[in-house]
């Protein structure tokens, strides 16, 4: 891998959660290409180790840790691992998340509600607290993955929509509170993006795909790299005056 022109993340140490597939795996490649040392985290060890090996083979510095973001203790150990191994934490992309099969709100059971909110909201909470602790002296940049579902509602996804709205709230709260420590905290709100989550959804009903494409002016799904590029930019000094923001990467979906 050639570290690209400008190498916006050269010398930065970045932790990426949800790095075993989709947007997070694309982010691992984009961040590494832009010069970052990356620590990849998720639950599927085989995926992480394969991706870390791929990045190292291309000349990047990459490690992986298995992690369930719902468990604050595991998050703490992952952040500690990063700081012990690489000396500091400069950037974090809190991207791990889950969705449910689309279900009317009154039929969703509490276990599913808990799984979504524990992963998407408490997971970001757990990550933020330990990452901020590690960045207090040095400053840094954090990006949380929300969704267009964090800005507008759609039917039959209530826990997901609530959790992604809350991620934007947490992002703003952290941005305001830690600006004096030179820690920037932003969110991205992706629209429809090709990933396992979306491929599963399309596989269940081919009509879903055509309908989803019609929901945005650009009328297609994003490649995960297009979303990862936005996260990398927010983590870089090129976004030095951007904090507390939510950047839509949605093909115009929320402009309609
Ligand atoms: N694809 C879209 O259209 C879209 C749109 C808006 C927002 N998003 C958001 O983008 C993020 C990434 O999703 P994706 O689309 O790339 O789907 P994906 O391929 O299913 O990726 C989800 C990632 O989250 C990880 N993860 C899930 N639960 C976890 C847990 N408890 N602990 C640690 N890691 C966990 C998964 O890894 P393991 O299973 O290995 O743990 C996987 O790496 C999510 O937050 C999602 O809500 C996606």
């Amino acid at each position: 891998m050639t570290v690209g022109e400008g190498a916006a993340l050269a010398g930065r140490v970045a932790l990426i959660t949800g790095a075993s597939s989709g947007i997070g795996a694309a982010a691992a490649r984009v961040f590494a290409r832009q010069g970052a040392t990356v620590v990849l985290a998720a639950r599927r060890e085989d995926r992480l180790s394969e991706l870390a090996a791929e990045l190292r083979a291309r000349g990047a510095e990459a490690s992986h840790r298995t992690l369930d973001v719902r468990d604050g203790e595991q998050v703490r150990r992952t952040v500690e691992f990063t700081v012990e191994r690489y000396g500091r934490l400069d950037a974090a992309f809190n991207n791990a998340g889950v969705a449910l099969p689309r279900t009317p709100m009154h039929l969703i059971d509490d276990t599913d509600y808990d799984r979504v909110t524990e992963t998407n909201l408490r997971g970001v909470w757990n990550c933020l607290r330990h990452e901020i602790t590690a960045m207090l002296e040095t400053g840094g940049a954090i990006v949380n993955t929300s969704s267009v579902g964090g800005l507008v509602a759609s039917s039959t996804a209530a826990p997901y929509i609530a959790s992604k709205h809350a991620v934007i709230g947490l992002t703003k709260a952290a941005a305001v509170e830690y600006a004096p420590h030179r820690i920037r905290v932003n969110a991205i709100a992706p629209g429809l993006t090709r990933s396992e989550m979306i491929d599963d959804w399309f596989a269940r009903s081919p009509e879903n795909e055509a309908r989803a494409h019609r929901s945005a002016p650009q009328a297609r799904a994003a490649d995960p790299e297009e979303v990862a590029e936005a996260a990398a930019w927010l983590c870089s000094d090129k976004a030095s005056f951007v904090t507390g923001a939510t950047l839509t990467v949605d093909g115009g979906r929320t402009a309609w």
Side-chain angles (χ1 to χ4, degrees), residues 137-210:
E137 301 300 322
T138 54
I142 300 175
V143 176
N144 300 318
T145 301
S146 177
S147 167
V148 294
L151 294 165
V152 293
S154 57
S155 227
T156 61
Y160 185 81
I161 285 163
S163 69
K164 293 299 190 179
H165 272 73
V167 165
I168 291 176
L170 265 187
T171 299
K172 290 180 183 175
V176 166
E177 197 166 336
Y178 293 97
H181 292 269
R182 295 179 300 114
I183 301 172
R184 293 185 301 103
V185 188
N186 291 291
I188 53 167
L192 185 69
T193 306
R194 297 285 339 181
S195 71
E196 286 175 20
M197 196 186 266
I198 291 303
D199 288 344
D200 282 355
W201 183 49
F202 288 167
R204 276 195 295 275
S205 154
E207 268 180 32
N208 286 339
E209 182 161 5

Side-chain angles (χ1 to χ4, degrees), residues 25-170:
R29 296 186 176 99
V30 168
F31 280 47
R33 198 159 65 221
Q34 295 192 10
T37 291
V38 288
V39 176
L40 315 181
R43 292 166 302 178
R44 287 170 294 177
E45 207 272 335
D46 53 337
R47 300 283 197 100
L48 295 173
S49 90
E50 205 176 302
L51 179 53
E54 173 197 314
L55 297 178
R56 283 194 298 271
R58 295 184 190 189
E61 179 59 48
S63 306
H64 73 278
R65 296 285 288 182
T66 51
L67 164 74
D68 189 326
V69 291
R70 292 171 293 185
D71 181 340
E73 199 42 35
Q74 290 185 36
V75 175
R76 185 183 65 74
R77 286 201 296 270
T78 302
V79 170
E80 272 179 18
F81 163 85
T82 306
V83 173
E84 273 162 27
R85 180 141 188 173
Y86 297 114
R88 62 190 191 282
L89 178 69
D90 300 306
F93 182 30
N94 299 325
N95 165 75
V98 288
L100 291 174
R102 292 202 163 248
T103 312
M105 191 169 163
H106 66 285
L107 299 177
I108 294 173
D109 68 42
D110 287 347
T111 321
D112 283 338
Y113 175 87
D114 288 346
R115 188 165 60 84
V116 169
T117 53
E118 283 292 299
T119 308
N120 296 359
L121 178 54
R122 187 185 293 279
V124 170
W125 167 254
N126 286 336
C127 290
L128 277 174
R129 296 174 71 228
H130 295 293
E131 290 157 1
I132 285 168
T133 303
M135 291 175 177
L136 277 177
E137 301 300 322
T138 54
I142 300 175
V143 176
N144 300 318
T145 301
S146 177
S147 167
V148 294
L151 294 165
V152 293
S154 57
S155 227
T156 61
Y160 185 81
I161 285 163
S163 69
K164 293 299 190 179
H165 272 73
V167 165
I168 291 176
L170 265 187

